[in-house]
Amino acid sequence: MIATVVAITGGAALGSLTTYLAMRHGINRLRAALSDAVWRLTHDPLTDLHNRLGLRVAHQATTASGDPGRIIVLLIDLDLFKQVNDAHGHDAGDELLRAAADRIGQLAALYGGHAARLSGDEFAAVIPLGRHEPARLAEHFIVLIAEPVTVTGDDGPVTVTITASLGVNIAAGTDLLEGVALHHADLAMYQAKQQGGNRYVFHQPGMTMPDHRPRRGPRLRDRRRTQNGDGA
């Protein structure tokens, strides 16, 4: 009789443990799937940087802290990327974008901030001002992006060098990211582009958009990816 009770109790316990482990495995799978979905929603599929939504989320997290203070907002546009893309092929262009993204992302993280690829060859970074010197910080981005990159072109490996135009805006932590902070950085970036590129320009009150805007915007393939749901 005792042996029977022990056997029944042990069997029930083993069954409960099996059920618990199965449920835990299922929950872990759901968590992993949710985490992956969130990552895909907030990151650029080509470069693994934040996309526009991801940068917005990172900005909100930064400004939600007790004393967000001022932030440095950079709008970064690669100079003459289209020429490199057209001369050496789209795969080489993608490699170049990934290399630029790695440099921008690592430097932004080094300064305690976040970086994103907004579209095409346009990037952004949001960095707490703290004790950083904005001009020196911007110069670091200019120099790092301009280092040569070896990519695989249609005719084999080729080393290319590109530069960048940076718009720099010192914004209040409470400023809207896209409506104010990025917009002001965008105005300054266009000024840098109009002045020949490979430089940074700080936003100044009253700054307006140049009359002749350089070509910008997402590449055709990027627009197709977005339309197909592959990126935000």
Side-chain angles (χ1 to χ4, degrees), residues 44 48 75 85 90 111 117-118 127 146 156 191 195 215:
D44 171 57
D48 289 344
L75 204 298
N85 194 57
H90 293 303
Y111 282 107
R117 178 183 178 224
L118 301 183
I127 299 169
Q191 297 292 336
Q195 293 175 27
R215 180 213 63 83

Side-chain angles (χ1 to χ4, degrees), residues 25-40:
H25 178 67
I27 291 172
N28 288 339
R29 289 182 60 186
L30 287 174
R31 286 176 175 171
L34 179 60
S35 177
D36 182 66
V38 170
W39 193 93
R40 290 176 179 274

Side-chain angles (χ1 to χ4, degrees), residues 52-74:
R52 190 178 293 271
L53 175 60
L55 186 65
R56 193 183 306 144
V57 171
H59 174 260
Q60 290 173 347
T62 299
T63 58
S65 61
D67 182 18
R70 292 189 296 169
I71 57 176
I72 304 170
V73 181
L74 304 176

Side-chain angles (χ1 to χ4, degrees), residues 5-216:
V5 171
V6 170
I8 294 174
T9 303
L14 182 60
S16 297
L17 179 60
T18 301
T19 301
Y20 168 77
L21 292 176
M23 290 178 60
R24 183 170 182 177
H25 178 67
I27 291 172
N28 288 339
R29 289 182 60 186
L30 287 174
R31 286 176 175 171
L34 179 60
S35 177
D36 182 66
V38 170
W39 193 93
R40 290 176 179 274
L41 185 65
T42 56
H43 287 75
D44 171 57
L46 177 65
T47 65
D48 289 344
L49 286 183
H50 288 300
N51 57 21
R52 190 178 293 271
L53 175 60
L55 186 65
R56 193 183 306 144
V57 171
H59 174 260
Q60 290 173 347
T62 299
T63 58
S65 61
D67 182 18
R70 292 189 296 169
I71 57 176
I72 304 170
V73 181
L74 304 176
L75 204 298
I76 306 164
D77 193 77
L78 303 183
D79 299 325
L80 305 179
F81 170 77
K82 186 177 185 299
Q83 284 84 330
V84 174
N85 194 57
D86 292 345
H88 301 292
H90 293 303
D91 289 341
D94 284 348
E95 282 189 62
L96 185 56
L97 287 174
R98 283 191 290 266
D102 286 344
R103 295 173 180 181
I104 292 168
Q106 290 177 23
L107 193 53
L110 181 65
Y111 282 107
H114 303 273
R117 178 183 178 224
L118 301 183
S119 65
D121 54 356
E122 179 185 85
F123 299 85
V126 175
I127 299 169
L129 177 59
R131 297 183 178 180
H132 301 316
E133 297 179 17
R136 185 177 180 183
L137 181 149
E139 185 64 29
H140 284 175
F141 276 91
I142 291 289
V143 171
L144 188 61
I145 292 171
E147 290 185 0
V149 180
T150 299
V151 297
T152 305
D154 292 337
D155 299 320
V158 58
T159 299
V160 298
T161 300
I162 59 167
T163 58
S165 299
L166 269 68
V168 186
N169 178 39
I170 308 302
T174 54
D175 284 345
L176 293 175
L177 177 63
E178 292 177 279
V180 179
L182 271 178
H183 175 63
H184 287 172
D186 197 33
L187 294 175
M189 187 282 298
Y190 272 117
Q191 297 292 336
K193 186 73 73 174
Q194 189 180 53
Q195 293 175 27
N198 193 26
R199 70 189 65 223
Y200 60 87
V201 170
F202 279 84
H203 176 263
Q204 301 294 335
M207 185 174 280
T208 59
M209 195 67 72
D211 293 334
H212 301 289
R213 303 183 185 183
R215 180 213 63 83
R216 283 174 59 227

